[in-house]
Amino acid sequence: MVPAIDNPVVVIAPDSFKGSLTAADAAAALERGAREMLPESATVLTFPMADGGEGSLDAVLAAWLQPALTMTTVDAIGREREASYGLDGEGRRAIIEAAQSNGLPYVSDVPLQALRADSYGVGLIAARLIEGGARDVTLFLGGSATTDGGTGILRALGARFLDAEGNELAPGGGALPSLSTIDLSGLIAGALETQWRIAVDVTNPLVGEQGAAHVFGPQKGASASDVVVLDAGLARLAEVLAETQLAVERGFSAAGICALPGIGAGGGMAAPLVALFGAELVPGAQLVADAIGLSKVVASADIILTGEGRFDSQSLDGKVVDYLRGAKGPSGWLAVIAGSVGMSPSEAKAAGIDVALPLGSGIESRKELFQLAAPLLEARGAHAIAEWFEPTDLDAEFRDEEGDDDTTLGN
């Protein structure tokens, strides 16, 4: 059955296949395959995507036609490192990937310091941008090594965090239980006039069993006792933030700050930015889509092709696929091509995915999938368009029943 559309609008918006293909490479491969099957009258729009984590900076800068800029900052434990960031052509809109500075891989060469690690290096990038005239800052939080509640960012912007005796606290979340006062008198010019949008890909609150310290602290090196200290510190930070005039004017209470969905992302990095500066928390994929223009066209697309390393239930919780299934129009047809597929065709259909295709046949090794990812993705792009023209019953040969990570290209 051929759809009655002579000039379909096709949107191609894959995430990266980590370790194998960038989002741009994946998009190009899918486009090559799709065009083999599409009529010449088809409109094909390509948008390399990301979900707010790794690759988000590259995706936005590619859409802006701007190169990445670099500066010397510090990692999560204060060592110098070079980090990339982005600016639009007018120098007013800025993009920061927190992990460029305080990413977990950059401190994994030494024993992790969960109580000491802080976000000061991220703040140095923000300070450079604001002092240079940027007044619209987008911050992507994924991959951080810190649980300091964003206090390092604020320190780099000129704030001071003091104990009851007026002494400045040591860096990191471990000192926060002793927080008594936040002094904002030294904020750099422009800090309060800057609009912040912060990408989150989780819905965790700030504190408690589902909060930043308990859920994400252990992967950043926190012991059980460290988690208790970090959680208490974040709770104390929320209390003191709620007492500041700026937060009072915005109507925040400590409980309100702690309960904001997603405020626990990045070790609570957004907490002071939200309470004091009015930063907006936005799902990461939505934020990227807005920045690159995808959100303006996806609802009118007839066909949407996307891809990622592994497609399973986690893909439906804030990832690129999740954004696309929610943003497509009622007649939009969505196909996912992934390194491996952990859903049956019926499960995918129930989730709003019309077709989910594995990259290979299921017999390739992980190494072969990495090496052949581009031509395989091109072939699957053509396959997906063929499915749109003439749907078939996809059977078990297109499933990865075991979900073995050994044959998965990373998300």
Side-chain angles (χ1 to χ4, degrees):
M1 180 179 65
V2 178
I5 302 174
D6 294 326
N7 54 344
V9 175
V10 182
V11 165
I12 297 175
D15 201 345
S16 63
F17 288 65
K18 290 187 177 61
S20 178
L21 297 173
T22 66
D25 291 336
L30 281 174
E31 181 175 354
R32 289 192 300 270
R35 287 190 181 277
E36 292 177 10
M37 303 300 294
L38 288 166
E40 291 185 4
S41 58
T43 298
V44 180
L45 305 171
T46 301
F47 298 89
M49 264 291 281
D51 62 10
E54 181 185 348
S56 299
L57 175 65
D58 291 339
V60 175
L61 290 180
W64 286 358
L65 302 178
Q66 296 296 321
L69 305 172
T70 61
M71 65 171 283
T72 301
T73 181
V74 295
D75 66 17
I77 55 175
R79 301 178 300 183
E80 282 193 0
R81 64 165 280 99
E82 292 295 307
S84 297
Y85 63 95
L87 275 170
D88 71 356
E90 297 178 353
R92 301 291 291 179
R93 291 187 294 166
I95 300 290
I96 302 173
E97 267 188 16
Q100 285 281 329
S101 168
N102 76 340
L104 191 57
Y106 302 128
V107 292
S108 295
D109 60 316
V110 296
L112 295 177
Q113 302 177 39
L115 300 179
R116 160 66 181 83
D118 85 332
S119 56
Y120 185 74
V122 182
L124 290 178
I125 301 173
R128 161 79 69 89
L129 290 164
I130 292 170
E131 289 173 339
R135 291 296 179 268
D136 183 325
V137 177
T138 296
L139 173 62
F140 296 107
L141 294 186
S144 78
T146 58
T147 314
D148 74 334
T151 52
I153 294 178
L154 267 288
R155 285 195 301 111
L157 296 179
R160 299 170 68 225
F161 294 84
L162 310 174
D163 65 17
E165 284 72 45
N167 300 311
E168 196 151 0
L169 296 183
L176 289 178
S178 299
L179 179 63
S180 177
T181 306
I182 302 174
D183 177 6
L184 300 174
S185 63
L187 284 177
I188 65 173
L192 294 176
E193 291 74 46
T194 299
Q195 177 183 2
W196 289 78
R197 281 188 296 276
I198 301 176
V200 296
D201 61 357
V202 298
T203 57
N204 300 72
L206 188 64
V207 300
E209 291 186 0
Q210 296 302 311
H214 281 275
V215 175
F216 306 113
Q219 70 193 43
K220 302 176 185 183
S223 66
S225 59
D226 291 342
V227 166
V228 173
V229 172
L230 291 169
D231 191 63
L234 293 173
R236 180 57 183 159
L237 173 64
E239 292 172 355
V240 179
L241 282 171
E243 295 169 357
T244 65
Q245 186 60 35
L246 287 173
V248 170
E249 292 171 358
R250 297 184 186 281
F252 280 112
S253 65
I257 294 170
C258 289
L260 284 171
I263 199 72
M269 206 181 305
L273 300 173
V274 170
L276 304 177
F277 299 164
E280 179 185 9
L281 298 178
V282 183
Q286 175 71 62
L287 201 156
V288 175
D290 289 346
I292 67 178
L294 172 60
S295 57
K296 296 179 180 179
V297 300
V298 65
S300 60
D302 299 301
I303 304 169
I304 303 162
L305 302 185
T306 188
E308 60 179 9
R310 176 167 173 78
F311 173 64
D312 56 22
S313 59
Q314 295 184 36
S315 305
L316 308 179
D317 186 16
K319 303 299 184 182
V320 171
V321 172
D322 189 31
Y323 164 75
L324 292 170
R325 69 175 181 147
K328 71 183 183 71
S331 61
W333 186 89
L334 176 58
V336 178
I337 296 95
S340 65
V341 174
M343 282 190 183
S344 69
S346 59
E347 288 170 337
K349 277 278 190 182
I353 312 301
D354 293 281
V355 169
L357 301 173
L359 196 60
S361 64
I363 61 174
E364 297 90 351
S365 68
R366 179 182 175 90
K367 181 179 180 180
E368 288 173 321
L369 281 178
F370 272 82
Q371 292 175 335
L372 301 173
L376 288 172
L377 195 55
E378 182 175 336
R380 285 305 195 211
H383 184 166
I385 298 299
E387 284 290 332
W388 179 73
F389 277 112
E390 190 171 351
T392 60
D393 290 329
L394 297 176
D395 58 27
E397 71 175 300
F398 296 124
R399 296 176 59 195
D400 174 11
E401 294 283 2
E402 298 178 357
D404 186 350
D405 285 342
D406 287 341
T407 58
T408 300
L409 299 186
N411 272 334

